[in-house]
């Protein structure tokens, strides 16, 4: 689903058009890693409760979460590859900081030659992206008129990965049984009950 970042990659960023969130250059997601699976808190309602439990029991060897569960905030950007296809890559805080610092005057200018350039080093077995930067380089323009905003919008809508559906299918709400095994039925039931109460309050019931 996602492009695996490699040293030397250059990304010509392109916005996402989300039915739920409008136009996005960066999509931010709360992620829960359970063994080899990853699920997302799409509506940002469950993770705040679960995070405190994760951090409390993460290093408790008697906990069912020991070495099995982790929380992370991840970010997702779309880019145009060398063939003109739109793909998605995911990243953490370091690249997020670099991208945000260069979004306003460089990377959000879709007509420009600015790219994110990846410099990947391994330090103490962990990847480091601290030396990544932005560069100017040529790229393949997939539309006929570089300056035609309507053509760009149509191209993005028709050729982007459907991230809305992907994240919804892996939303935390659809993994209640799996979460109950790890966190316990009481915790998950409490979250569901609180969420139901919030909805009723919003309806004035």
């Amino acid at each position: 689903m996602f492009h695996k970042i490699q040293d030397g990659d250059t990304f010509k960023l392109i916005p996402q058009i989300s039915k739920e969130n409008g136009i996005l250059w960066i999509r931010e997601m709360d992620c829960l890693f359970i063994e080899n699976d990853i699920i997302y808190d799409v509506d940002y309602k469950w993770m705040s409760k679960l995070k405190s439990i994760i951090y409390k029991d993460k290093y408790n060897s008697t906990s069912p979460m020991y070495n099995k569960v982790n929380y992370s905030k991840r970010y997702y950007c779309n880019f145009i590859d060398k063939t003109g296809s739109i793909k998605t890559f995911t990243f953490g805080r370091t690249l997020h900081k670099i991208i945000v610092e260069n979004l306003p005057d460089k990377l959000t200018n879709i007509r420009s030659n600015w790219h994110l350039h990846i410099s990947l080093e391994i330090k103490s077995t962990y990847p480091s992206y601290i030396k990544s930067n932005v560069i100017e380089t040529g790229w393949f323009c997939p539309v006929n008129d570089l300056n035609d905003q309507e053509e760009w919008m149509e191209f993005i809508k028709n050729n982007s990965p459907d991230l809305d559906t992907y994240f919804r299918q892996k939303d935390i709400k659809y993994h209640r049984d799996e979460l109950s095994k790890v966190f316990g039925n009481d915790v998950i039931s409490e979250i569901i009950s609180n969420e139901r109460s919030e909805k009723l309050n919003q309806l004035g019931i």
Side-chain angles (χ1 to χ4, degrees):
M1 178 67 183
F2 302 120
H3 172 81
K4 184 177 180 180
I5 295 178
Q6 300 179 30
D7 182 44
D9 276 345
T10 56
F11 296 125
K12 172 61 181 174
L13 301 192
I14 191 168
Q16 305 167 35
I17 301 178
S18 166
K19 294 179 181 178
E20 300 180 8
N21 303 295
I23 297 177
L24 304 169
W25 283 90
I26 303 174
R27 188 185 296 243
E28 177 181 317
M29 299 296 296
D30 281 335
C31 306
L32 193 65
F33 298 87
I34 302 179
E35 295 185 332
N36 296 321
D37 197 13
I38 176 173
I39 55 180
Y40 304 92
D41 187 9
V42 177
D43 297 315
Y44 304 101
K45 291 184 177 180
W46 287 41
M47 204 66 76
S48 58
K49 176 68 176 178
L50 296 178
K51 275 195 297 185
S52 61
I53 300 172
I54 294 169
Y55 290 139
K56 178 182 177 182
D57 289 354
K58 183 177 179 180
Y59 302 106
N60 179 2
S61 60
T62 63
S63 168
M65 285 176 284
Y66 183 67
N67 283 340
K68 291 184 178 180
V69 180
N70 201 4
Y71 159 82
S72 177
K73 191 176 291 293
R74 299 292 294 173
Y75 306 92
Y76 299 81
C77 277
N78 282 357
F79 69 98
I80 302 173
D81 71 7
K82 294 179 180 179
T83 67
S85 299
I86 299 178
K87 295 182 179 178
T88 305
F89 69 102
T90 177
F91 50 95
R93 289 178 296 177
T94 300
L95 286 179
H96 179 260
K97 182 175 184 293
I98 294 170
I99 292 172
V100 168
E101 288 175 348
N102 290 279
L103 272 179
D105 57 343
K106 293 180 180 178
L107 293 177
T108 54
N109 184 352
I110 202 169
R111 295 181 296 275
S112 75
N113 291 325
W114 288 106
H115 288 60
L116 174 68
H117 176 72
I118 300 297
S119 176
L120 170 59
E121 297 178 331
I122 302 299
K123 295 185 177 181
S124 301
T125 72
Y126 292 100
S128 171
Y129 300 96
I130 194 68
K131 293 183 180 179
S132 298
N133 60 351
V134 295
I135 62 170
E136 285 191 281
T137 186
W139 55 288
F140 179 87
C141 179
V143 297
N144 294 319
D145 186 350
L146 180 66
N147 298 304
D148 189 330
Q149 183 177 356
E150 186 174 331
E151 187 180 2
W152 271 115
M153 293 291 284
E154 283 300 309
F155 171 77
I156 294 170
K157 287 179 181 178
N158 295 330
N159 295 278
S160 296
D162 186 358
L163 296 180
D164 286 336
T165 298
Y166 172 80
F167 290 126
R168 279 293 171 192
Q169 289 175 343
K170 296 181 71 66
D171 187 13
I172 199 168
K173 294 183 182 66
Y174 302 125
H175 293 260
R176 293 176 182 177
D177 291 343
E178 187 176 0
L179 292 170
S180 293
K181 291 178 183 178
V182 176
F183 293 97
N185 288 322
D186 291 344
V187 171
I188 304 305
S189 295
E190 181 183 350
I191 292 175
I192 295 171
S193 177
N194 290 339
E195 186 178 32
R196 186 181 297 114
S197 296
E198 287 179 9
K199 290 180 179 178
L200 292 175
N201 288 335
Q202 291 172 359
L203 296 172
I205 300 175

